[in-house]
């Protein structure tokens, strides 16, 4: 009887020891495992081809924009300075995502350290918020150029461009830091497997074995704050722009004014459509297949950096002329 109770006690102690060790392992995971695109693992190599092509086009296109603006003194104007800021941001945003993603697709290198995952998460969110801020700044520049053409050079000066760019960077850094701090503090004891191509914010936080409502609410509030305020600012700018355009005397001046801001409008649509779809499906698309959501969340970070220099190169006459 005594031997039986002793054996049972030893088994219980071993069980609790093993469960404690497992919990401590997942509470502070040294690495996470990125699955890539769940359900499409067999097609990873084929999927990587268009993704790699997008990355190469983004690098070549954005570096070309930077080189043209740097070499041509006639392009040293606020509009093109904002375009250079966007090109740098697009290069950093796509580089934050693609190299690790291609290593998953090509070499099955799925592991990413906990600290590297947090760094990637921070950079992606920071550059995405920065992209939205740059679009607002460019809308403001279009508004001044169309509505106050004679005062444009005195309002949008080089120091003003520097201050706006600094404000965009600081806003992104300060707004994203709380989500990073929260993600680093949660205990992770459910799993260390992330069903995504990169360390996406909510996909990571959902692995935490704690009440993550704070992170969820902050992420939702941040998304609503950024996109509502930035969208409102851009729409307000373009309402004023359209009013000014329709008051112009001839159709030729209409077309010239539309050309001034046409490239910016195209870039807005390229950014808004996949971004809104990815955010809405993540929040409200429970019936959307996981691989569709992952693909859209990935394209949302890759398509704008690829298309932005193409759009500006084709529509903006000054850049197109200098390029040819």
């Amino acid at each position: 009887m005594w031997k039986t109770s002793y054996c049972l006690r030893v088994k219980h102690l071993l069980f609790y020891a093993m469960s404690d060790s497992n919990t401590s392992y997942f509470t502070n995971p040294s690495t996470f495992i990125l699955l890539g695109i769940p359900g499409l693992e067999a097609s990873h190599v084929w999927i990587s081809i268009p993704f790699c092509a997008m990355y190469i086009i983004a690098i070549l296109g954005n570096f070309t924009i930077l080189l043209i603006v740097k070499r041509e003194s006639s392009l040293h104007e606020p509009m093109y300075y904002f375009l250079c800021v966007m090109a740098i941001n697009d290069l950093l945003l796509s580089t934050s995502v693609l190299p690790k993603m291609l290593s998953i697709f090509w070499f099955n290198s799925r592991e990413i350290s906990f600290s590297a995952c947090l760094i990637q998460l921070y950079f992606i969110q920071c550059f995405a918020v920065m992209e939205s801020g740059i679009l607002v700044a460019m809308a403001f520049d279009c508004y001044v150029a169309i509505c106050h053409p004679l005062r444009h050079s005195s309002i949008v000066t080089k120091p003003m461009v520097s201050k706006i760019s600094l404000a965009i960077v600081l806003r992104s850094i300060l707004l994203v830091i709380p989500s990073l701090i929260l993600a680093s503090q949660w205990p992770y004891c459910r799993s260390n497997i992330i069903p995504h191509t990169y360390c996406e914010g909510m996909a990571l936080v959902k692995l935490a074995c704690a009440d993550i409502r704070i992170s969820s609410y902050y992420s939702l509030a941040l998304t609503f704050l950024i996109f509502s305020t930035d969208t409102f600012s851009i729409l307000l700018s373009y309402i004023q722009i359209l009013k000014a355009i329709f008051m112009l005397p001839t159709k030729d001046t209409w077309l010239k004014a539309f050309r001034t801001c046409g490239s910016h409008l195209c870039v807005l649509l390229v950014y808004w459509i996949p971004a809104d779809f990815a955010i809405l499906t993540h929040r409200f698309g429970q019936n959307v297949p996981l691989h569709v959501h992952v693909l859209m969340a990935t394209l949302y970070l890759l398509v704008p950096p690829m298309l932005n220099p193409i759009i500006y190169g084709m529509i903006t006459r000054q850049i197109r002329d200098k390029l040819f």
Side-chain angles (χ1 to χ4, degrees), residues 39-55:
L40 299 178
E41 289 85 357
S43 304
H44 274 176
V45 175
W46 296 107
I47 295 172
S48 70
I49 296 173
F51 283 171
C52 185
M54 289 180 191
Y55 186 49

Side-chain angles (χ1 to χ4, degrees), residues 163-178:
K163 291 177 182 178
I164 292 174
S165 301
L166 181 60
I168 291 170
V169 173
L170 291 177
R171 183 188 76 152
S172 304
I173 292 173
L174 295 176
L175 287 178
V176 176
I177 279 179

Side-chain angles (χ1 to χ4, degrees), residues 25-26 29-34 188-194 207:
Y25 173 78
F26 285 113
S30 58
T31 59
F32 284 106
I33 306 297
L34 294 169
Y188 295 93
C189 60
R190 291 180 180 175
S191 173
N192 65 339
I193 297 175
I194 302 175
L207 301 180

Side-chain angles (χ1 to χ4, degrees), residues 17-27 189:
M18 291 175 67
S19 62
D20 287 343
S21 65
N22 289 335
T23 302
S24 64
Y25 173 78
F26 285 113
T27 300
C189 60

Side-chain angles (χ1 to χ4, degrees), residues 173-210:
I173 292 173
L174 295 176
L175 287 178
V176 176
I177 279 179
S179 62
L180 178 69
I181 294 173
L182 289 170
S184 64
Q185 296 300 314
W186 296 126
Y188 295 93
C189 60
R190 291 180 180 175
S191 173
N192 65 339
I193 297 175
I194 302 175
H196 218 293
T197 54
Y198 59 89
C199 287
E200 198 263 342
M202 290 309 299
L204 172 64
V205 173
K206 284 179 180 178
L207 301 180
C209 56

Side-chain angles (χ1 to χ4, degrees), residues 238-257:
Y238 272 92
I239 288 172
Q240 299 300 319
I241 289 169
L242 289 174
K243 286 182 180 179
I245 288 175
F246 290 131
M247 291 176 64
L248 295 174
T250 63
K251 289 186 177 180
D252 290 338
T253 52
W254 286 16
L255 291 174
K256 185 177 180 182

Side-chain angles (χ1 to χ4, degrees), residues 10 21 28 74 88 91 99 105 115 120 165 183 219 240 257 266 286:
V10 170
S21 65
N28 298 294
S74 61
I88 294 171
L91 286 169
F105 290 164
S115 57
Q120 186 187 47
S165 301
S219 177
Q240 299 300 319
C266 292
Q286 286 79 12

Side-chain angles (χ1 to χ4, degrees), residues 3-4 23 27 39 47 58 63 81 97 106 120 139 154 202 208 232 248 254 277 290 293 302 306 323:
K3 289 183 179 180
T4 304
T23 302
T27 300
I47 295 172
F63 269 120
Y81 290 145
V97 180
W106 290 347
Q120 186 187 47
S154 61
M202 290 309 299
F232 176 77
L248 295 174
W254 286 16
F277 184 87
L290 182 58
H293 168 69
L302 298 181
M306 176 190 69
L323 178 62

